[in-house]
Amino acid sequence: MKIFTKIAAFAVVAAALIAGNTTEAAFTRYLTVGSTGTDVSELQSILVSNGYLASGLPMGYFGALTKAAVMKWQAAVGLPATGYFGPMSIAKIGAGSTSTTGGSTSSNTGSTSGLKGGDGDFKKYDLLGSPDNKNVEEGETLGVMAFEFEADNSDLLVERTDLIVEKTAGTVKKPWKVLDTVELTVGGKKIASVDASDEDNWDEQDTDQYRLRLENIDYKVEDGKKVKVTVEVTVQDSIDSDETGSWDISIDDDGIRARNAEGIDVYEGDIADTRNFSVEEANAGALNITVDDDNNDDQEVEVSEDNTTDDVVIYNAQVESKDGDNEIDSVTVDIDSLGAADLSDMVGTLYLFIDGEEVGSESVSGSSDSAVFDDINVTIDDNQEVDFEVRADFEEQGTDEENYVNGSAVQVTDMTVDFIDAQDDDQTESAGTAGGEITLSLNALTVDPVSTSAGIYSSIENKGQFSIKFKVTAPSEEDIYIPNGAGTSTATSTGAHFAIYGSSNTSIPGTTSSAVLIRSSGGSD
């Protein structure tokens, strides 16, 4: 802890000695970029009257123009041209004195309005162990360092904090190249912020070591109260891989300045006590595309000789967003004709539906084609899953099968999604899985599963019994006849044929002792 002895507050009443100017001004504090108040106005008036600052500018704020004017004046009177209006500049303008009785002394006194107590100071200052070694991704805001202290013997008004940032690993060593903002927060509430992407806000202290000042904080800590202050950094969006790396961050020596109830500035901070954080590229957004076999079975679609057959679902996929919100830009659907017919003779229009809403329509042709649905602009939130459906309107077959023959078929072979992830990067993901074969027929019967069951038939003989129940629907305006038989053979005398598969998904022949096909309801014998 740095202890500063009490001094008497002073005011410099200057008969300004700048080129014979006789304006009187009272300066009770040091002034720099960001300072505001009547004393800033007084300084600006002196600079204007002596030709260092243009007239007609807004008064009362110490900005870049005022800094430049102070530098001109300092150079003219033989002072270092820093632009900082400190003790040497005050002494040059007028006269002021301080007295000390040992130790370090602050000669900067100012308003103590609202502060209670006496000659207060920092107590139990500590740079906390957490957070530390945080990884901050591009576009992310995260706490990387925190300190705490107690106000002792008076309220303390925290006025500024100086941070030191130094690259420890990586190519880019200029912090303004990767950081966007730096903030101080107390209990999640912002008390100070600075534009860390502005090079002018950084001062090089040593080779590749830079100071960043957060000032005009004016945060009061009451006597006897302890406060925890967190330093949060926001990394710029869309950083490159060579801009990643780790940084040390610390409070500069005497980097925290506060004013006590007697108007005396007290200081705290130790540059040797550091924490570390890393700047990283954000994870690329991802889509998980699942094509469920149960929703993509082979199917036979009954078509018409002279009318289109509309709104048939021919492909279904579930798309889940990962690593942030992802915006769907376009979807490409690959589709093949499985026979001699041209796709344009069979498929009138392809439609893409997302979560039940139509988002585009396209036509296809040839034996194989890719339908590209552009400008979709649908956002899938992080960890949200939505349904993608491809539907088709099928053309009429024609009275003499002039468009396509009975049994012609189509199949969606893949679906590719182009999307923009949360980092505004273009990404692509493919399903890599085909849908079922869609067979077109004038006389199409449909078979739908109803239920299955299994049980032990004879534990002694190691036999089981399986029951598969399904529903058969005849084509419209036509009767069909199903042979009353079942077995593993595909002979025409067998009404239903089946296969038994083992755990390795291979057929197990010769395992059926008997099988029957039973009409449970509907139809007639």
Side-chain angles (χ1 to χ4, degrees):
M1 178 183 297
K2 307 297 185 295
I3 302 176
F4 291 80
T5 58
K6 177 180 177 183
I7 61 171
F10 75 94
V12 176
V13 181
L17 303 180
I18 308 174
N21 184 280
T22 59
T23 302
E24 291 190 353
F27 297 105
T28 61
R29 57 174 179 153
Y30 305 150
L31 303 177
T32 187
V33 173
S35 299
T36 60
T38 56
D39 49 357
V40 175
S41 298
E42 293 287 353
L43 174 60
Q44 289 168 327
S45 296
I46 295 173
L47 295 170
V48 168
S49 63
N50 288 275
Y52 295 104
L53 183 66
S55 60
L57 297 175
M59 307 290 272
Y61 174 77
F62 195 122
L65 294 178
T66 303
K67 178 180 179 181
V70 170
M71 291 174 67
K72 292 178 183 178
W73 168 72
Q74 289 171 327
V77 298
L79 293 176
T82 63
Y84 177 69
F85 191 74
M88 288 190 295
S89 296
I90 290 176
K92 196 71 174 179
I93 282 185
S97 62
T98 63
S99 60
T100 68
T101 57
S104 300
T105 303
S106 165
S107 60
N108 182 16
T109 61
S111 170
T112 60
S113 175
L115 299 182
K116 299 178 181 179
D119 183 12
D121 208 339
F122 292 99
K123 180 181 178 182
K124 297 180 180 178
Y125 168 81
D126 185 27
L127 189 68
L128 301 178
S130 178
D132 189 18
N133 295 314
K134 292 296 184 179
N135 298 323
V136 192
E137 294 183 350
E138 54 185 308
E140 184 180 20
T141 299
L142 201 63
V144 297
M145 181 175 70
F147 59 90
E148 66 180 12
F149 64 86
E150 181 180 326
D152 183 39
N153 201 37
S154 85
D155 298 343
L156 293 180
L157 186 69
V158 179
E159 298 174 314
R160 78 173 187 216
T161 299
D162 290 340
L163 305 176
I164 299 296
V165 178
E166 182 176 8
K167 190 68 172 282
T168 57
T171 303
V172 175
K173 301 182 183 299
K174 312 299 184 185
W176 57 87
K177 297 288 188 180
V178 296
L179 298 181
D180 185 52
T181 59
V182 174
E183 296 180 349
L184 301 182
T185 64
V186 174
K189 181 180 179 181
K190 179 175 69 176
I191 64 170
S193 179
V194 65
D195 182 359
S197 67
D198 187 348
E199 182 180 354
D200 291 340
N201 289 330
W202 295 88
D203 292 321
E204 188 167 13
Q205 304 298 293
D206 201 349
T207 303
D208 297 326
Q209 184 188 77
Y210 298 90
R211 184 189 71 185
L212 182 69
R213 172 165 290 179
L214 295 98
E215 54 189 352
N216 299 320
I217 299 173
D218 293 339
Y219 182 80
K220 185 173 75 172
V221 182
E222 294 180 352
D223 183 16
K225 299 292 185 180
K226 180 182 289 187
V227 65
K228 174 185 174 182
V229 181
T230 300
V231 180
E232 295 186 354
V233 301
T234 300
V235 174
Q236 296 174 19
D237 292 328
S238 302
I239 64 171
D240 298 325
S241 58
D242 63 348
E243 295 173 324
T244 62
S246 60
W247 300 80
D248 275 348
I249 184 169
S250 62
I251 305 294
D252 197 4
D253 288 334
D254 300 337
I256 306 171
R257 187 182 78 187
R259 179 168 297 162
N260 65 24
E262 293 196 0
I264 303 170
D265 284 345
V266 292
Y267 296 80
E268 190 53 272
D270 183 357
I271 193 174
D273 200 356
T274 66
R275 297 294 176 261
N276 187 268
F277 67 94
S278 295
V279 172
E280 298 182 345
E281 289 185 283
N283 291 330
L287 294 179
N288 292 339
I289 303 178
T290 304
V291 180
D292 191 342
D293 289 342
D294 291 341
N295 296 324
N296 291 276
D297 287 331
D298 295 344
Q299 58 176 309
E300 192 169 8
V301 177
E302 182 179 1
V303 294
S304 170
E305 288 183 342
D306 50 14
N307 291 301
T308 61
T309 303
D310 298 335
D311 206 34
V312 179
V313 178
I314 63 173
Y315 192 77
N316 180 274
Q318 288 73 49
V319 179
E320 183 180 13
S321 182
K322 289 293 187 181
D323 296 319
D325 300 345
N326 294 302
E327 181 182 350
I328 307 303
D329 183 39
S330 67
V331 175
T332 301
V333 175
D334 298 327
I335 185 170
D336 288 352
S337 168
L338 302 183
D342 190 284
L343 283 170
S344 62
D345 293 332
M346 293 183 289
V347 181
T349 306
L350 280 185
Y351 302 91
L352 178 65
F353 283 74
I354 297 180
D355 258 4
E357 296 289 334
E358 181 184 331
V359 296
S361 60
E362 296 291 333
S363 59
V364 291
S365 62
S367 61
S368 179
D369 201 358
S370 297
V372 180
F373 301 89
D374 285 321
D375 301 322
I376 293 176
N377 300 325
V378 170
T379 298
I380 305 178
D381 295 336
D382 189 24
N383 295 320
Q384 181 187 14
E385 184 178 85
V386 300
D387 287 329
F388 280 49
E389 277 188 349
V390 180
R391 303 183 190 181
D393 292 345
F394 289 109
E395 300 284 8
E396 66 271 15
Q397 190 181 54
T399 54
D400 295 319
E401 297 185 348
E402 59 265 25
N403 286 334
Y404 52 89
V405 300
N406 222 36
S408 297
V410 299
Q411 183 182 34
V412 173
T413 57
D414 201 359
M415 182 182 75
T416 301
V417 181
D418 293 322
F419 61 99
I420 303 170
D421 66 15
Q423 286 71 50
D424 289 329
D425 294 328
D426 295 329
Q427 307 288 349
T428 299
E429 188 65 48
S430 295
T433 305
E437 296 182 6
I438 313 299
T439 303
L440 309 180
S441 175
L442 280 177
N443 301 306
L445 63 83
T446 58
V447 179
D448 298 305
V450 176
S451 63
T452 60
S453 63
I456 301 299
Y457 177 71
S458 171
S459 59
I460 298 176
E461 299 179 16
N462 196 26
K463 292 182 179 180
Q465 178 174 292
F466 300 88
S467 175
I468 304 172
K469 189 174 182 179
F470 54 92
K471 175 183 176 183
V472 179
T473 303
S476 59
E477 301 180 1
E478 186 174 347
D479 295 336
I480 61 171
Y481 300 92
I482 302 175
N484 190 15
T488 56
S489 170
T490 59
T492 56
S493 60
T494 303
H497 70 274
F498 60 91
I500 299 176
Y501 291 85
S503 58
S504 60
N505 203 32
T506 57
S507 178
I508 304 175
T511 57
T512 306
S513 58
S514 64
V516 293
L517 179 64
I518 302 172
R519 180 177 59 83
S520 60
S521 63
S524 60
D525 294 329

